[in-house]
Amino acid sequence: MNNGNQAETLRAVRAAVIALVATLFTGAVSGETILLNGATVHTATGDTLSPGDVLLRDGKIAAVDKTIAAEGATRVELKGEHLYPGLILLDTALGLTEIEAVRATADAAEVGEFTPDVESWVSVNPDSELIPVARANGIAYFEPVPEGGIVSGQSALVTVDGWTTEKMTTKTGVALHLIWPAMELETAPRGRARSRTKPKSVEEQAKDRRAKVQSTIEFFEEAKAYAKAKDAAANGKATPPERVPAWEAMLPYVHGERPIVVHANEIRQIKAVVAWGTTNNLKMIIAGGRDAWMIAGLLAARQIPVIYEHTYTQPNRDFEPYDVHFKAAEVLHQAGVKVVFSMGPRPFDAGLSRNLPYSAAQAVAFGLPESEALKGLTLYPAQLAGVADRLGSIDAGKEATLFATDGDILDNRTQVKRLWLAGREISLESRHTRLYEKYRSRPK
Amino acid sequence: MVRIRDVVNSETENLYEQLAGGLTAANLLHGSANPIGGQNCVIKLRDGASPEELVFDAAPPGIKFALGENVKQSNWGEKFVTRFPQTRMGVRTFIANRFTAAQEYLAEWEAYRKKSALPPRRDLELDALGEILQGKRWIHCHSYRQDEILMLIRLMESFGVKIATFQHVLEGYKVADEIARHGAGASTFSDWWAYKFEVYDAIPYNGSLMAERGVVVSFNSDSSELARHLYTEAAKAVKYGGTPEVEALKFVTLNPAKQLRIDSRVGSLEQGKDADFAIWSKSPLDFETVCLQTWIDGKKYFDRALSQERAARREKERSELVAKAKRVAKVSSGGESAGEADSGTESFFNVSLEHQYDGNARGCLDEELLGVDRIGGAR
């Protein structure tokens, strides 16, 4: 064997190895037909099939039934396991933050009070180590949210695997984010004020608060006026206004075409938001929603959903029952409010995204029906993001994004075994599993 | 030298909230701003008792130490660059120097006792470090990275000191054998990570990995919220690394008791031990479980069946107090609106000191009490 032949053989072997590795890495390719056989199928919309079959074809769910005869399909035996639609995490800093204390890695909060033309999805780091950690517990999509100021910018729905931000971004302009000004006043004596800056009197604080709320309301009034001027110009009734990027960004939101997610926790904030949003015919979603249960009936009547982020928040007032936030989701649900669960947009919680199902779990322990909890992790967030036609449940025609577990996804002990994104199996490996394997094999 | 025992707040609603999550005892440690911190306090959650009566006197004294980013002021801002130590190298030197000083201090007292010298000047810090050298006070050390964990083990061994626990110890899994051989316990978070650079290698398998190599592992909370559901945290040891359920439960019962040297009294249901226990609707590791009752010293401190009634009672008391305050405010402001808050009303609405510094914004619900008009409604 001469050297040339040897080199050729090596090249062939290397090519074969690369092909093999590529297959292992990407798993099943989208074009393949796969039958997921015999798992308990939690569809999130209809009945749970126990057991059931799910047929995946061309990256979509082709069929869901008790049994499916699918000749030629690659069979994946999932007997004893559970299948869930991919979880959707709304209102998060995931992708925008890596290490909270390292400023160079922080891209979640921008300066400026009104920046509707800030777009979160352009800054998602596809190689963030936090993303594989989140997907290892079934999170398939997330909504990176810009923070900072009052109107902080717009969010998108992003998937947990992809080569670039463009490939990962499923839907841009999912919502505009409005961080409602704090309504609480510092009532402690000035000498003991929490704030390190010069403490203000209650009256001064109230004045500031009024000004902030007023500026928020006026910002939207101006955005509406701009939209009106554009419409008039379009009908040939006026000359078009000078193009302003911020006002352009506001158009679909003041027209009520896309939702405004208002971040509000305290009851006075939430009441103010409801009154203001209703008057202005805005499509509203409350995020945070700590005290939302107090006006559950009103929220239901106005059809305002709540992204509830406080299952695991201690009572805020001494006279509240210890389980006030454990029960809040059920209070809202009973009244007819759509409840979505989230960890919230704090950078600290981006790393804990994988714990999303446990917020819902605690609500179940305190009364929320389990089917509602699951919807609040899958179908409802898909609806709020405007993608329920293709995501959020295991139904024929939807994207084949689902995962298999060895138990109830709400239980802390449950292991996620496999995950498919649009029919493609994704590795559950992460920085955590790699370090685990490395140090588990450290010689004693 | 700071002593947590001096500042235990027996009035806090926190005690009840913790009891409602099945918690019966806690090791109170302050923050981690200094390599050598203050003295800890182990309490039983005897809600309603005085601060002194909360203290669990069977627990031997302890002290908080800390290593890494916090003590070297890494995340304190640009102004904080001159206090020694600013590096992990300096942290070792600092601690070593103080222990050397404590040895000399003990020698001076010994000499005084033998009547060969004048009495040394009393030094509270060196008193405490001296107690550590004598095996009377136990170190609980905040730590993250494997190098600093190993550093403290070797440094303390050089002084003949055994460390009680490493706290957080998020890279403990990298030096589990060394921790086990030294005999220290590890009190870790179940799954926190990535909030600082030194916790970028923190993994949720930490507890399981350390336990597999013979370390006595517990899960801690570092948070009055998380302390309410240590049972869900324990369940994560089953998920990550497959710790058997009974062992996982020990992470929040017997193992912390061992680490605090109180396992002859609490931590398991055994004849002769204190009657400290919780009753659950299901296995505490099950997501649907609810804590029904919590007992300490054979006395019931929490009962879920009575919690609604308790909340209603507190709500009633509050509304009565608010009504009274409104009357008082009206009188003290000469019958005018309560807007001009005088010192009397201002202090009445004062939030408790504990709440003032916990980072949560709190305010009364009734904005009109402060003479502030309703805001944000339709124009």
Side-chain angles (χ1 to χ4, degrees), chain B residues 212-229:
Chain B
E212 273 170 29
R213 291 188 183 236
V215 179
V216 175
V217 174
S218 67
F219 278 163
N220 70 31
S221 66
D222 213 36
S223 140
S224 51
E225 197 292 305
L226 203 52
R228 300 188 300 162
H229 52 101

Side-chain angles (χ1 to χ4, degrees), chain A residues 98 101 129 137 192 194 203 209-210 314 316 318-319 322-323 351 354-355 414-415 431 442, chain B residues 14 17 174 178 191 193 195 200-201 213 224 239 304 314 318 339 350 355-356 362 372-373:
Chain A
E98 193 69 14
E129 298 278 9
N137 207 33
R192 290 213 304 270
R194 252 194 313 270
E203 291 75 14
R209 177 172 70 173
R210 214 175 344 247
Q314 280 183 274
N316 204 53
D318 281 358
F319 53 87
Y322 80 95
D323 55 0
R354 61 179 164 212
N355 290 341
T414 296
Q415 314 261 349
R431 182 181 187 83
R442 182 189 163 195
Chain B
N14 244 318
E17 289 169 13
K174 298 183 178 178
E178 285 80 357
D191 62 358
W193 75 295
Y195 45 95
Y200 203 34
D201 272 6
R213 291 188 183 236
S224 51
K239 179 179 175 76
R304 175 152 172 80
R314 291 171 70 87
R318 175 186 173 273
N350 190 9
H355 285 170
Q356 223 170 87
R362 282 186 177 75
V372 177
D373 51 29

Side-chain angles (χ1 to χ4, degrees), chain A residues 89-166:
Chain A
L89 173 61
L90 297 185
D91 200 18
T92 178
L94 187 63
L96 302 175
T97 182
E98 193 69 14
I99 299 173
E100 188 185 4
V102 180
R103 191 179 155 191
T105 72
D107 283 300
E110 192 46 87
V111 297
E113 289 203 315
F114 297 99
T115 54
D117 41 349
V118 162
E119 300 172 335
S120 71
W121 56 93
V122 300
S123 299
V124 169
N125 176 10
D127 286 320
S128 166
E129 298 278 9
L130 280 63
I131 294 174
V133 167
R135 76 178 176 224
N137 207 33
I139 290 168
Y141 285 91
F142 62 100
E143 182 206 16
V145 162
E147 287 279 296
I150 296 174
V151 171
S152 60
Q154 301 174 68
S155 59
L157 198 66
V158 178
T159 190
V160 288
D161 182 70
W163 292 103
T164 68
T165 52
E166 285 175 346

Side-chain angles (χ1 to χ4, degrees), chain B residues 116-181:
Chain B
S116 58
L118 288 169
R121 183 186 167 134
R122 178 101 190 269
D123 182 311
L124 295 180
E125 183 213 345
L126 295 179
D127 272 353
L129 294 185
E131 287 166 12
I132 298 170
L133 287 167
Q134 293 164 336
K136 296 177 192 163
R137 182 174 293 281
W138 291 93
I139 296 171
H140 303 287
C141 186
H142 164 112
S143 55
Y144 287 116
R145 244 169 53 178
Q146 63 149 310
D147 49 76
E148 64 194 21
I149 295 163
L150 202 51
M151 175 281 284
L152 195 74
I153 287 175
R154 297 297 176 243
L155 181 63
M156 288 300 104
E157 284 173 350
S158 75
F159 285 98
V161 169
K162 188 164 165 177
I163 299 155
T165 68
F166 283 100
Q167 296 288 319
H168 314 337
V169 59
L170 293 181
E171 285 191 16
Y173 68 95
K174 298 183 178 178
V175 284
D177 292 341
E178 285 80 357
I179 296 172
R181 271 198 291 276

